[in-house]
């Protein structure tokens, strides 16, 4: 394990010390007070310090936090597919990625509710620069994905990350979550970056890449929010991309996105887990060809299982000035979405309006493009 010290999460022997520090940190204390609004500071401290492992902390604190977030900022979470998975097995969950922290929290809550092995989750090193965020990430079983560096440094860190993922899955029987792409999907188009799969496959070494990936038990996961609580925060980057100009994040942008994702309104949320992928039919005459086919299979599964909400259909019709999907939303749904649009976007800025609508409409377009033709 010493080989992974720079990327791993806390082991159980380190949890108690980390929590003793955490209960004194002002920001983390605020989180705990949100989680347990009816308890005194001493009562909260007793609950937190009674946790002796990450499992304890996730069960007794974090799951309570997530359920409170759901209660206060959503119309409920529904799931499908998790009941078909084996509670004794670890899986490599690969999902679309919309919210920095909430995606993995909700997936792990779903695993907890179905008595499945919870995940260790990949998180970019850019998101854990603040010491208290870094501590919380390690207390919730996040491991670090290093960004940047020279091509040589990137290859070395990617190989270590790949070996660590295998170590977790096979040696620790610990499930792993990783996003289908680097960073969140900002434009609503959930597509897999081949580089993610290439990284995962690095640990195969001289083994058959197809057999190696098959044995990891890859489970595609689709997560959809009726309202994206960070939708307006994504528009400036979309506009910069469209204008082919460099987008530079503000100093606290990622942290603000984490807060907005947690506390913003989401309405309904749905998470769908597919069956573990079978790679037997894929052509493995070359690794590149195999990964291209796997990307296509992942994209098709994630997009097909993505649950569409009235907001998606409304955005599509507004974007295309049509009534193609009006049977899937009410006048009340339409009025609520249009009010949200007016509150978040300058309606005189045509490109901003288009970017906002496209973000919600894209999953409908992806379904339309599937073969056989998508039936709403």
């Amino acid at each position: 394990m010493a080989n992974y010290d720079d990327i791993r999460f806390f082991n159980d022997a380190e949890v108690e010390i980390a929590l003793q520090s955490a209960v004194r940190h002002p920001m983390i204390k605020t989180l705990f007070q949100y989680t347990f609004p009816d308890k005194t500071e001493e009562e909260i401290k007793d609950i937190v310090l009674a946790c002796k492992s990450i499992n304890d902390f996730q069960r007794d604190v974090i799951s309570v936090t997530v359920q409170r977030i759901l209660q206060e900022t959503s119309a409920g979470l529904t799931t499908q597919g998790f009941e078909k998975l084996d509670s004794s097995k670890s899986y490599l969950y690969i999902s679309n990625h919309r919210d920095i922290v909430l995606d993995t929290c909700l997936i792990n809550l779903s695993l907890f509710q179905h008595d499945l092995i919870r995940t260790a989750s990949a998180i970019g090193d850019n998101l854990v620069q603040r010491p208290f965020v870094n501590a919380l990430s390690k207390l919730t079983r996040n491991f670090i994905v290093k960004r940047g560096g020279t091509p040589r440094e990137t290859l070395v860190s990617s190989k270590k990350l790949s070996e660590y993922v295998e170590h977790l899955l096979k040696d620790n029987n610990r499930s792993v979550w990783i996003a289908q792409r680097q960073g969140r999907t900002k434009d609503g188009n959930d597509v897999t970056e081949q580089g993610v799969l290439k990284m995962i496959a690095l640990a195969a070494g001289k083994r058959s890449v197809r057999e190696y990936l098959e044995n990891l038990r890859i489970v595609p996961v689709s997560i959809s929010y009726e309202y994206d609580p960070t939708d307006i925060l994504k528009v400036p980057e979309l506009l910069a991309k469209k204008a082919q100009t460099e987008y530079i994040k503000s100093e606290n942008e990622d942290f603000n996105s984490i807060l907005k994702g947690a506390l913003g309104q989401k309405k309904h949320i749905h998470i769908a887990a597919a069956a573990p992928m079978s790679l037997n039919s894929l052509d493995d005459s070359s690794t590149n060809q195999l990964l291209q086919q796997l990307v296509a299979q992942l994209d098709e599964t994630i997009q097909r299982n993505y649950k569409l909400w009235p907001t998606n259909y409304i955005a599509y019709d507004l974007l295309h000035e049509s009534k193609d999907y009006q049977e899937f939303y009410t006048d009340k749904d339409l009025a609520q979405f249009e009010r949200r649009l007016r509150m978040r976007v300058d309606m005189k800025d045509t490109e901003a309006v288009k970017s906002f609508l496209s973000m919600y409409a894209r999953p409908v377009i992806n379904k339309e493009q599937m073969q056989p033709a998508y039936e709403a």
Side-chain angles (χ1 to χ4, degrees):
M1 285 297 293
N3 291 336
Y4 307 121
D5 278 350
D6 58 332
I7 61 172
R8 67 173 178 86
F9 47 86
F10 289 137
N11 58 48
D12 286 344
E14 298 165 327
V15 168
E16 190 170 359
I17 297 172
L19 288 177
Q20 287 173 353
S21 175
V23 293
R24 296 193 300 268
H25 193 284
M27 293 295 289
I28 300 180
K29 282 171 68 174
T30 301
L31 170 66
F32 293 157
Q33 288 163 356
Y34 172 85
T35 304
F36 303 107
D38 300 326
K39 297 192 180 297
T40 66
E41 187 172 327
E42 281 303 310
E43 288 173 330
I44 294 171
K45 187 176 179 181
D46 289 343
I47 293 170
V48 173
L49 294 183
C51 299
K52 305 302 180 185
S53 67
I54 288 181
N55 273 336
D56 291 346
F57 185 63
Q58 285 191 314
R59 181 193 64 230
D60 297 339
V61 180
I62 298 301
S63 67
V64 180
T65 307
V66 177
Q67 289 183 74
R68 177 139 197 255
I69 288 171
L70 285 173
Q71 182 179 356
E72 295 199 343
T73 71
S74 83
L77 168 68
T78 54
T79 65
Q80 71 181 69
F82 291 102
E83 68 280 357
K84 297 179 181 178
L85 300 177
D86 188 333
S87 62
S88 68
K89 292 181 179 177
S90 62
Y91 296 96
L92 174 57
Y93 297 97
I94 299 181
S95 81
N96 62 325
H97 189 26
R98 297 299 182 86
D99 187 90
I100 292 175
V101 170
L102 204 58
D103 291 353
T104 52
C105 288
L106 293 175
I107 289 170
N108 272 302
L109 179 63
S110 303
L111 297 176
F112 176 70
Q113 292 174 338
H114 288 86
D115 196 29
L116 295 166
I117 296 170
R118 277 166 283 174
T119 71
S121 302
I123 188 168
D125 59 1
N126 58 301
L127 300 174
V128 292
Q129 297 301 311
R130 296 187 179 202
F132 81 94
V133 177
N134 188 32
L136 271 178
S137 73
K138 290 182 177 182
L139 281 166
T140 48
R141 213 179 269 116
N142 287 284
F143 57 91
I144 303 298
V145 179
K146 294 186 177 181
R147 309 288 194 204
T150 66
R152 171 65 183 168
E153 289 169 340
T154 299
L155 178 60
V156 171
S157 63
S158 294
K159 191 170 189 302
K160 177 187 281 191
L161 187 62
S162 180
E163 290 168 350
Y164 185 56
V165 168
E166 182 185 22
H167 166 72
L168 290 170
L169 288 163
K170 298 305 177 185
D171 298 337
N172 288 9
N173 197 35
R174 169 61 54 195
S175 291
V176 171
W177 173 89
I178 195 164
Q180 67 179 159
R181 55 179 292 165
Q182 178 177 312
R184 291 168 295 155
T185 300
K186 311 271 193 327
D187 60 2
N189 190 21
D190 297 311
V191 292
T192 306
E193 288 181 356
Q194 188 171 323
V196 171
L197 300 179
K198 185 177 180 181
M199 179 279 293
I200 293 169
L202 284 174
K206 295 182 179 180
R207 290 172 285 179
S208 161
V209 173
R210 181 170 61 81
E211 290 180 9
Y212 175 76
L213 293 174
E214 176 92 30
N215 290 332
L216 296 184
R217 294 189 287 270
I218 297 173
V219 173
V221 175
S222 310
I223 180 166
S224 63
Y225 301 87
E226 186 169 4
Y227 281 120
D228 181 343
T230 61
D231 49 18
I232 188 55
L233 301 181
K234 296 175 180 178
V235 170
E237 188 169 348
L238 293 173
L239 292 176
K241 184 178 181 181
K242 194 165 188 176
Q244 296 183 320
T245 59
E246 182 182 4
Y247 178 74
I248 300 174
K249 288 184 179 181
S250 62
E251 183 180 354
N252 295 314
E253 185 166 331
D254 287 329
F255 185 67
N256 290 335
S257 291
I258 291 172
L259 291 179
K260 189 72 173 176
L263 302 178
Q265 177 56 236
K266 306 152 194 61
K267 288 195 78 174
H268 296 91
I269 308 166
H270 186 73
I271 304 176
M277 298 178 72
S278 173
L279 280 63
N280 290 331
S281 62
L282 302 187
D283 182 358
D284 63 348
S285 54
S286 75
T287 298
N288 187 56
Q289 189 170 12
L290 172 70
L291 295 181
Q292 286 177 351
Q293 294 171 81
L294 185 54
V295 163
Q297 192 172 325
L298 267 168
D299 287 351
E300 196 276 340
T301 304
I302 290 173
Q303 291 174 14
R304 186 175 294 280
N305 287 343
Y306 187 98
K307 184 173 179 63
L308 296 176
W309 303 105
T311 50
N312 302 116
Y313 295 119
I314 292 167
Y316 180 96
D317 279 352
L318 291 176
L319 185 65
H320 295 89
E321 299 181 347
S322 72
K323 295 184 179 180
D324 292 354
Y325 290 105
Q326 64 178 346
E327 64 184 290
F328 296 103
Y329 54 87
T330 66
D331 290 341
K332 182 180 178 181
D333 293 329
L334 176 59
Q336 287 178 339
F337 185 82
E338 288 182 325
R339 183 165 60 250
R340 184 182 182 90
L341 175 62
R342 290 193 300 270
M343 289 175 63
R344 282 160 172 73
V345 181
D346 179 357
M347 299 303 290
K348 296 177 182 178
D349 188 339
T350 304
E351 290 304 318
V353 172
K354 284 183 179 179
S355 293
F356 188 92
L357 293 176
S358 296
M359 185 190 310
Y360 281 96
R362 185 69 210 198
V364 179
I365 296 169
N366 286 340
K367 298 258 193 182
E368 283 186 336
Q369 293 174 344
M370 288 181 178
Q371 297 296 328
Y374 165 64
E375 294 181 2

